[in-house]
Amino acid sequence: MTALAELLATHTVRVVLLGAALLGAISGMLGAFAVLRRQSLLGDALAHAALPGVCLGFMLAGARDLGSIMAGAFFTGALAALVMMLITRATRLKADAALGIVLSVFFAVGVVLLTHLQAQGGAASAGLAGFLFGQAAAILARDLWILGGVGLVALLLVLAFWKEFKLVSFDAGFARAQGFPVTALEVALTVMVALAIVAGLQLAGVVLMVALLVAPAAAARQWTRSLGGMVAVSAGIGAASGAVGALISASARGLATGPVVVLVATGVVLVSFLVAPERGLVPQALAARRARSRISAARVLAAMQDLAAAHDDAAYKAERGMIGVALGAAPPADRLASLEREGLIRPVQHPPETTPHWELTRAGRAAERPGPEGRIDPGPATPEEGG
Amino acid sequence: MRDAALHEPGQALHVEDLTVSYGTDPALWDIDLDIPPGVMCAIVGPNGAGKSTLIKAALGLVRPVAGHVRFLGHEIGAMRGRIGYVPQRHSVDWDFPTTTRDVVEMGLYRSIGWFRRPGRAARDRALAALAEVGMQDYADRQISQLSGGQQQRVFLARALVQDAPILILDEPMAGVDATTEAVIIDLLKRLRDAGRTVIVVHHDLTTVQSHFDWLVILNIRIIAQGPVRDVYTPENLRAAYGRQLAMIAEPAGALP
């Protein structure tokens, strides 16, 4: 604990933490739109295509200057997006193939430039390798202003065009029919995602950046019921993942930030997929089990109603074995007990027989029957049903 | 360039010389079409006949290579917001994180205007539109929890909330339950009786006569158009559907 407090006390670590949280928040916020609009893979291609731009920005500025590096990354990212569009329009290649080609070619150019710059030497060029896998420790105090500015602009745009962005993300065709400038809105959203990627490169690196875009949004979707909630929670998860990842990476020597951030964010995704209420796998499995237990009780009740109808006796006293034959298997004792607790059946004597019998109560006779196959809504599919 | 003079203002929808092409094969060829105001019109035709393309081209969602379209004499640009559009249900991701009422309010975004959020008035109008399609109890439900028929009714409510004189629906009865089909048809007939024009891309020939009073039969070209009793003939259906017809319907038996 004291080691952590010491770490937090240093100015550099605070800058890194703040920067990482900021980058995570920006990526999380815009990643929510990217995921909902199915642009996750485009984000991956843009991130990889940013590498040559990072090197060009460095060459032009002659130093590690975040402003020119981001401008370069944005330029080659946009160029890559343009080339992808031209390939899909001019050839028979589909979008995924175009994406794969452009991603690898731009990344290859980036790696060639990077190794060339490193071979030339110079203290500053050593830091460029950090853009491959992310290096939060390289975030400087003056970088915070640029990152903060990008984040603020993105936030203001999202707030200003909130309902238009929502409409375009949900149903672009309807938006176009309503006369909204859909192309402009879509370009704006894509450019903002590209900005988030470019800004996040320092933290996660070109190779893993897409995870910082997708993971917070995927996790946030599990917990929320509205777009506003999803965007806010996604930004929060992004910020937390960025900060925690940066802290872990800063506290150990030679630990690239990107992979750590990705692992942290993925951990959040895993937990969200498992335990989120409603959408989580565990709550769904529990709900399915509850549904099964309801089905069974309902089938017991239906069997008793059938027996009563077959004997033309609403107060037919059914023995357990009789119900079992009607059902194909003896009903578990707790089913009968629970039906009894619900007041749908009651235990009765049927002398001279000494075995326990049950008859339908007034409520049990009136109770609704399950569907034709004796099943009430089976609930979400469970592994054993799906297998 | 707004047209100062109206062109064919007497028709709810007027299409002239319209040709749409994806690549080399025409999806629609030289369409001339007039749908008068106040009718309930079905557009039918076999798969690939260009039914959806026709309404997308009319709405300006697909760029035609030739021809022009007018609604009540206006170009589509001047009619935005006065045409209620119900796209195919499968065109969107129903796992989008939002509620039923929120989707219906989307029909009002245009009239609300830029930089403003929907308020109480929009909320009330959305609830009223949901009530018209019998979905008022689902207003706060997540759209991912709706059945197919309920999704379709929500989409219809989103078009209704605009209070538009012309409604265009793309396959609203595809894959919905009987309750939903009855609700939709009753509602559309009431709208028609109130003077609206209702244009429906339809796939079920057996219900054309009971549901609609105007019919357009399409197969890349216009095969026939006019009142259902004049147009719904074995000759016209055979011309559009060819050999597929026997599998789809028994027109001879169904006809007077």
Side-chain angles (χ1 to χ4, degrees), chain B residues 213-229:
Chain B
D213 53 21
W214 199 268
L215 181 61
V216 173
I217 303 180
L218 184 73
N219 191 0
I220 313 293
R221 304 155 186 264
I222 294 287
I223 305 295
Q225 56 177 317
V228 169
R229 62 179 176 280

PDB file of all heavy atoms in Angstrom, chain B residues 213-229:
ATOM      1  N   ASP B 213     -57.311  -1.372 -51.931  1.00  0.00           N
ATOM      2  CA  ASP B 213     -58.231  -0.939 -52.978  1.00  0.00           C
ATOM      3  C   ASP B 213     -57.495  -0.478 -54.233  1.00  0.00           C
ATOM      4  O   ASP B 213     -58.116  -0.205 -55.250  1.00  0.00           O
ATOM      5  CB  ASP B 213     -59.175   0.158 -52.464  1.00  0.00           C
ATOM      6  CG  ASP B 213     -58.440   1.319 -51.831  1.00  0.00           C
ATOM      7  OD1 ASP B 213     -57.242   1.496 -52.127  1.00  0.00           O
ATOM      8  OD2 ASP B 213     -59.064   2.054 -51.034  1.00  0.00           O
ATOM      9  N   TRP B 214     -56.165  -0.389 -54.165  1.00  0.00           N
ATOM     10  CA  TRP B 214     -55.382   0.012 -55.340  1.00  0.00           C
ATOM     11  C   TRP B 214     -54.222  -0.958 -55.459  1.00  0.00           C
ATOM     12  O   TRP B 214     -53.701  -1.431 -54.429  1.00  0.00           O
ATOM     13  CB  TRP B 214     -54.875   1.450 -55.162  1.00  0.00           C
ATOM     14  CG  TRP B 214     -54.463   2.116 -56.451  1.00  0.00           C
ATOM     15  CD1 TRP B 214     -53.219   2.134 -57.004  1.00  0.00           C
ATOM     16  CD2 TRP B 214     -55.284   2.865 -57.325  1.00  0.00           C
ATOM     17  NE1 TRP B 214     -53.217   2.824 -58.173  1.00  0.00           N
ATOM     18  CE2 TRP B 214     -54.478   3.295 -58.407  1.00  0.00           C
ATOM     19  CE3 TRP B 214     -56.649   3.208 -57.338  1.00  0.00           C
ATOM     20  CZ2 TRP B 214     -54.967   4.053 -59.460  1.00  0.00           C
ATOM     21  CZ3 TRP B 214     -57.131   3.970 -58.389  1.00  0.00           C
ATOM     22  CH2 TRP B 214     -56.294   4.389 -59.436  1.00  0.00           C
ATOM     23  N   LEU B 215     -53.823  -1.269 -56.688  1.00  0.00           N
ATOM     24  CA  LEU B 215     -52.801  -2.302 -56.856  1.00  0.00           C
ATOM     25  C   LEU B 215     -51.806  -1.921 -57.949  1.00  0.00           C
ATOM     26  O   LEU B 215     -52.198  -1.424 -59.016  1.00  0.00           O
ATOM     27  CB  LEU B 215     -53.477  -3.638 -57.218  1.00  0.00           C
ATOM     28  CG  LEU B 215     -52.559  -4.855 -57.402  1.00  0.00           C
ATOM     29  CD1 LEU B 215     -51.797  -5.165 -56.130  1.00  0.00           C
ATOM     30  CD2 LEU B 215     -53.382  -6.069 -57.847  1.00  0.00           C
ATOM     31  N   VAL B 216     -50.542  -2.136 -57.648  1.00  0.00           N
ATOM     32  CA  VAL B 216     -49.489  -1.988 -58.645  1.00  0.00           C
ATOM     33  C   VAL B 216     -48.796  -3.337 -58.751  1.00  0.00           C
ATOM     34  O   VAL B 216     -48.323  -3.871 -57.747  1.00  0.00           O
ATOM     35  CB  VAL B 216     -48.472  -0.899 -58.231  1.00  0.00           C
ATOM     36  CG1 VAL B 216     -47.294  -0.880 -59.200  1.00  0.00           C
ATOM     37  CG2 VAL B 216     -49.138   0.465 -58.158  1.00  0.00           C
ATOM     38  N   ILE B 217     -48.775  -3.903 -59.952  1.00  0.00           N
ATOM     39  CA  ILE B 217     -48.062  -5.174 -60.160  1.00  0.00           C
ATOM     40  C   ILE B 217     -46.778  -4.857 -60.910  1.00  0.00           C
ATOM     41  O   ILE B 217     -46.800  -4.207 -61.959  1.00  0.00           O
ATOM     42  CB  ILE B 217     -48.916  -6.186 -60.952  1.00  0.00           C
ATOM     43  CG1 ILE B 217     -50.238  -6.431 -60.221  1.00  0.00           C
ATOM     44  CG2 ILE B 217     -48.156  -7.495 -61.115  1.00  0.00           C
ATOM     45  CD1 ILE B 217     -51.156  -7.412 -60.936  1.00  0.00           C
ATOM     46  N   LEU B 218     -45.675  -5.320 -60.308  1.00  0.00           N
ATOM     47  CA  LEU B 218     -44.359  -4.892 -60.772  1.00  0.00           C
ATOM     48  C   LEU B 218     -43.496  -6.111 -61.049  1.00  0.00           C
ATOM     49  O   LEU B 218     -43.535  -7.104 -60.315  1.00  0.00           O
ATOM     50  CB  LEU B 218     -43.725  -4.039 -59.659  1.00  0.00           C
ATOM     51  CG  LEU B 218     -42.372  -3.379 -59.906  1.00  0.00           C
ATOM     52  CD1 LEU B 218     -42.552  -2.210 -60.863  1.00  0.00           C
ATOM     53  CD2 LEU B 218     -41.786  -2.878 -58.599  1.00  0.00           C
ATOM     54  N   ASN B 219     -42.758  -6.063 -62.124  1.00  0.00           N
ATOM     55  CA  ASN B 219     -41.658  -7.010 -62.304  1.00  0.00           C
ATOM     56  C   ASN B 219     -40.623  -6.323 -63.185  1.00  0.00           C
ATOM     57  O   ASN B 219     -40.627  -6.462 -64.397  1.00  0.00           O
ATOM     58  CB  ASN B 219     -42.139  -8.322 -62.933  1.00  0.00           C
ATOM     59  CG  ASN B 219     -41.047  -9.388 -62.861  1.00  0.00           C
ATOM     60  OD1 ASN B 219     -39.960  -9.118 -62.334  1.00  0.00           O
ATOM     61  ND2 ASN B 219     -41.313 -10.568 -63.382  1.00  0.00           N
ATOM     62  N   ILE B 220     -39.758  -5.575 -62.559  1.00  0.00           N
ATOM     63  CA  ILE B 220     -38.789  -4.697 -63.209  1.00  0.00           C
ATOM     64  C   ILE B 220     -39.529  -3.566 -63.946  1.00  0.00           C
ATOM     65  O   ILE B 220     -39.228  -2.397 -63.762  1.00  0.00           O
ATOM     66  CB  ILE B 220     -37.844  -5.438 -64.185  1.00  0.00           C
ATOM     67  CG1 ILE B 220     -37.282  -6.712 -63.539  1.00  0.00           C
ATOM     68  CG2 ILE B 220     -36.730  -4.508 -64.643  1.00  0.00           C
ATOM     69  CD1 ILE B 220     -36.358  -6.523 -62.384  1.00  0.00           C
ATOM     70  N   ARG B 221     -40.507  -3.963 -64.789  1.00  0.00           N
ATOM     71  CA  ARG B 221     -41.390  -2.981 -65.420  1.00  0.00           C
ATOM     72  C   ARG B 221     -42.727  -2.980 -64.687  1.00  0.00           C
ATOM     73  O   ARG B 221     -43.020  -3.889 -63.924  1.00  0.00           O
ATOM     74  CB  ARG B 221     -41.671  -3.368 -66.876  1.00  0.00           C
ATOM     75  CG  ARG B 221     -40.466  -3.551 -67.728  1.00  0.00           C
ATOM     76  CD  ARG B 221     -40.809  -4.501 -68.879  1.00  0.00           C
ATOM     77  NE  ARG B 221     -39.609  -4.816 -69.661  1.00  0.00           N
ATOM     78  CZ  ARG B 221     -39.281  -4.174 -70.776  1.00  0.00           C
ATOM     79  NH1 ARG B 221     -40.065  -3.241 -71.255  1.00  0.00           N
ATOM     80  NH2 ARG B 221     -38.175  -4.484 -71.425  1.00  0.00           N
ATOM     81  N   ILE B 222     -43.550  -2.004 -64.991  1.00  0.00           N
ATOM     82  CA  ILE B 222     -44.923  -2.017 -64.491  1.00  0.00           C
ATOM     83  C   ILE B 222     -45.729  -3.008 -65.332  1.00  0.00           C
ATOM     84  O   ILE B 222     -45.766  -2.888 -66.554  1.00  0.00           O
ATOM     85  CB  ILE B 222     -45.556  -0.613 -64.595  1.00  0.00           C
ATOM     86  CG1 ILE B 222     -44.871   0.362 -63.669  1.00  0.00           C
ATOM     87  CG2 ILE B 222     -47.053  -0.692 -64.299  1.00  0.00           C
ATOM     88  CD1 ILE B 222     -45.185   0.184 -62.202  1.00  0.00           C
ATOM     89  N   ILE B 223     -46.350  -3.989 -64.677  1.00  0.00           N
ATOM     90  CA  ILE B 223     -47.191  -4.939 -65.406  1.00  0.00           C
ATOM     91  C   ILE B 223     -48.603  -4.374 -65.507  1.00  0.00           C
ATOM     92  O   ILE B 223     -49.236  -4.431 -66.559  1.00  0.00           O
ATOM     93  CB  ILE B 223     -47.223  -6.306 -64.702  1.00  0.00           C
ATOM     94  CG1 ILE B 223     -45.803  -6.832 -64.501  1.00  0.00           C
ATOM     95  CG2 ILE B 223     -48.091  -7.291 -65.470  1.00  0.00           C
ATOM     96  CD1 ILE B 223     -45.050  -7.145 -65.754  1.00  0.00           C
ATOM     97  N   ALA B 224     -49.100  -3.834 -64.376  1.00  0.00           N
ATOM     98  CA  ALA B 224     -50.437  -3.252 -64.385  1.00  0.00           C
ATOM     99  C   ALA B 224     -50.580  -2.350 -63.168  1.00  0.00           C
ATOM    100  O   ALA B 224     -49.883  -2.536 -62.171  1.00  0.00           O
ATOM    101  CB  ALA B 224     -51.503  -4.341 -64.363  1.00  0.00           C
ATOM    102  N   GLN B 225     -51.469  -1.375 -63.227  1.00  0.00           N
ATOM    103  CA  GLN B 225     -51.751  -0.528 -62.082  1.00  0.00           C
ATOM    104  C   GLN B 225     -53.173  -0.003 -62.174  1.00  0.00           C
ATOM    105  O   GLN B 225     -53.692   0.195 -63.266  1.00  0.00           O
ATOM    106  CB  GLN B 225     -50.761   0.640 -62.004  1.00  0.00           C
ATOM    107  CG  GLN B 225     -50.710   1.491 -63.268  1.00  0.00           C
ATOM    108  CD  GLN B 225     -49.770   2.671 -63.122  1.00  0.00           C
ATOM    109  OE1 GLN B 225     -49.764   3.339 -62.093  1.00  0.00           O
ATOM    110  NE2 GLN B 225     -48.953   2.919 -64.135  1.00  0.00           N
ATOM    111  N   GLY B 226     -53.792   0.196 -61.005  1.00  0.00           N
ATOM    112  CA  GLY B 226     -55.154   0.705 -60.990  1.00  0.00           C
ATOM    113  C   GLY B 226     -55.922   0.115 -59.817  1.00  0.00           C
ATOM    114  O   GLY B 226     -55.334  -0.492 -58.928  1.00  0.00           O
ATOM    115  N   PRO B 227     -57.264   0.292 -59.823  1.00  0.00           N
ATOM    116  CA  PRO B 227     -58.087  -0.284 -58.754  1.00  0.00           C
ATOM    117  C   PRO B 227     -57.931  -1.803 -58.732  1.00  0.00           C
ATOM    118  O   PRO B 227     -57.784  -2.430 -59.789  1.00  0.00           O
ATOM    119  CB  PRO B 227     -59.515   0.107 -59.149  1.00  0.00           C
ATOM    120  CG  PRO B 227     -59.351   1.281 -60.058  1.00  0.00           C
ATOM    121  CD  PRO B 227     -58.059   1.093 -60.767  1.00  0.00           C
ATOM    122  N   VAL B 228     -57.969  -2.381 -57.530  1.00  0.00           N
ATOM    123  CA  VAL B 228     -57.720  -3.816 -57.384  1.00  0.00           C
ATOM    124  C   VAL B 228     -58.648  -4.634 -58.267  1.00  0.00           C
ATOM    125  O   VAL B 228     -58.227  -5.588 -58.920  1.00  0.00           O
ATOM    126  CB  VAL B 228     -57.865  -4.228 -55.899  1.00  0.00           C
ATOM    127  CG1 VAL B 228     -57.875  -5.744 -55.768  1.00  0.00           C
ATOM    128  CG2 VAL B 228     -56.740  -3.633 -55.079  1.00  0.00           C
ATOM    129  N   ARG B 229     -59.952  -4.243 -58.310  1.00  0.00           N
ATOM    130  CA  ARG B 229     -60.918  -5.083 -59.050  1.00  0.00           C
ATOM    131  C   ARG B 229     -60.594  -5.117 -60.543  1.00  0.00           C
ATOM    132  O   ARG B 229     -60.928  -6.086 -61.223  1.00  0.00           O
ATOM    133  CB  ARG B 229     -62.337  -4.586 -58.803  1.00  0.00           C
ATOM    134  CG  ARG B 229     -62.606  -3.176 -59.283  1.00  0.00           C
ATOM    135  CD  ARG B 229     -64.047  -2.729 -59.049  1.00  0.00           C
ATOM    136  NE  ARG B 229     -64.214  -1.349 -59.440  1.00  0.00           N
ATOM    137  CZ  ARG B 229     -63.855  -0.313 -58.683  1.00  0.00           C
ATOM    138  NH1 ARG B 229     -63.343  -0.514 -57.485  1.00  0.00           N
ATOM    139  NH2 ARG B 229     -63.993   0.924 -59.122  1.00  0.00           N
TER     140      ARG B 229
END
